[in-house]
Amino acid sequence: MYNAFTDFLKDKKKICIIQAENPDGDSLGSALALDYLLKDHEVSLYCPVEIPKYLRYMDDWGRVSLEFDFEADGYIIVDTAAQILLSKLLSDPAIKNRLISADVFVLDHHETEDDIEFGHSGLVQTLPACCDLIFRIAREQGLMPAPSEVPAEDRDRLKTAAEYLVAGILSDTLGLTSATTYPDLYREIADLLDYGINIAEFEEHRRDFMKKSQRILSYKADLIKKVEYFLDGRLATVHIPWEEIKEYSDEYNPSVLILEELRLVENVEVAVCYKTYPDGKITGKIRTSKPIADKIAGFFGGGGHPYAAGFRTYDLSYDDAIHETITAMDKIEKEENETL
């Protein structure tokens, strides 16, 4: 089923693994796991933005470079098949031309349609996490032999790969609690633990990096005070302007601070964190209690999961973005009522 991946690798010595400009636990886990799995290749890791501090509990995060590898024989894009999430990358003409001329393989798990305009092959399968897809590929294609069959010289390498795969899966499923989690995923986690992972130790390490300074906790209180409600409290929003992005993001992602809090407010069905930038860009991170997040994001040309999605636009003001979100929710609700 996953032969396309190993076929892509066959004639290549140097592989560059690319994350989009919104790195998260799943994209970083995917990149780092592939770095350890592709033992027969020279691997470089690239992201067009710095890895956020809250993700640096993955010890090898420093392997990810801001310098693009133009000498690679092939490029693997992980955790997105959406052109808009590669806009920063493709705004550099040299990088864009290299990807157009090179062999590119895309690994993604989102329901959003693959709309990358330059030529590429890939595997896009709706799953809870890209790390889930990579584990399936690695297991089927012999990149991760069963733990009992792993040669002694490969044990540490595959243990580390398994650790990053678990980290990515736990990140995108909120610790196996999201609506996308399915029974076999628990079995896959159990299989990964058999490579020797101490998940309690790893989780303690992650929590150390997730701790908030007093300054960040005070900022979270400020964000809570800025929350607005619409549609009789069914939509909760918060605005994070550029000044706050610049001041706090390196220490802690503001949207990560507040989104789950919004989603857990009584009567809230949709929570959106909007960020505004000096160049007119607006991004929206969406979390929902009903499976419509991807549909709302689709109104802006974005996408994602039914319960977690995002978008980016340059064509709207902040007020317009709020209005469009309300319009999207109204339309989705009407369509749902018509199908009943």
Side-chain angles (χ1 to χ4, degrees), residues 214-232:
Q214 293 180 14
R215 189 176 88 102
I216 289 296
L217 189 62
S218 294
Y219 174 54
K220 181 174 182 177
D222 293 337
L223 284 175
I224 292 172
K225 292 174 185 176
K226 294 200 300 180
V227 174
E228 295 185 279
Y229 299 95
F230 303 90
L231 299 176
D232 298 322

Side-chain angles (χ1 to χ4, degrees), residues 239-243 245 274-278 281-283 318:
H239 175 212
I240 301 172
W242 170 243
E243 293 75 18
I245 296 170
Y274 302 92
K275 293 180 179 178
T276 52
Y277 295 79
K281 179 176 71 175
I282 296 177
T283 64
Y318 170 66

Side-chain angles (χ1 to χ4, degrees), residues 149-219:
E149 300 172 2
V150 174
E153 64 270 19
D154 287 336
R155 285 174 188 163
D156 287 344
R157 177 178 63 84
L158 292 180
K159 175 186 174 182
T160 304
E163 188 173 85
Y164 289 134
L165 291 174
V166 169
I169 291 170
L170 293 180
S171 174
D172 250 24
T173 62
L174 303 177
L176 300 178
T177 64
S178 71
T180 59
T181 303
Y182 58 96
D184 277 348
L185 192 59
Y186 291 94
R187 300 183 185 99
E188 289 178 18
I189 292 291
D191 290 343
L192 285 164
L193 293 181
D194 283 340
Y195 288 90
I197 301 172
N198 185 329
I199 198 166
E201 185 178 288
F202 183 79
E203 179 63 11
E204 183 178 351
H205 186 50
R206 184 190 72 83
R207 287 179 179 174
D208 282 341
F209 274 81
M210 295 296 285
K211 287 179 179 177
K212 306 170 185 66
S213 67
Q214 293 180 14
R215 189 176 88 102
I216 289 296
L217 189 62
S218 294
Y219 174 54

Side-chain angles (χ1 to χ4, degrees), residues 53-59 61 204-212 251-252:
K53 285 186 177 179
Y54 79 94
L55 291 176
R56 295 180 185 181
Y57 64 92
M58 300 190 201
D59 289 339
W61 69 269
E204 183 178 351
H205 186 50
R206 184 190 72 83
R207 287 179 179 174
D208 282 341
F209 274 81
M210 295 296 285
K211 287 179 179 177
K212 306 170 185 66
E251 186 175 348
Y252 214 101

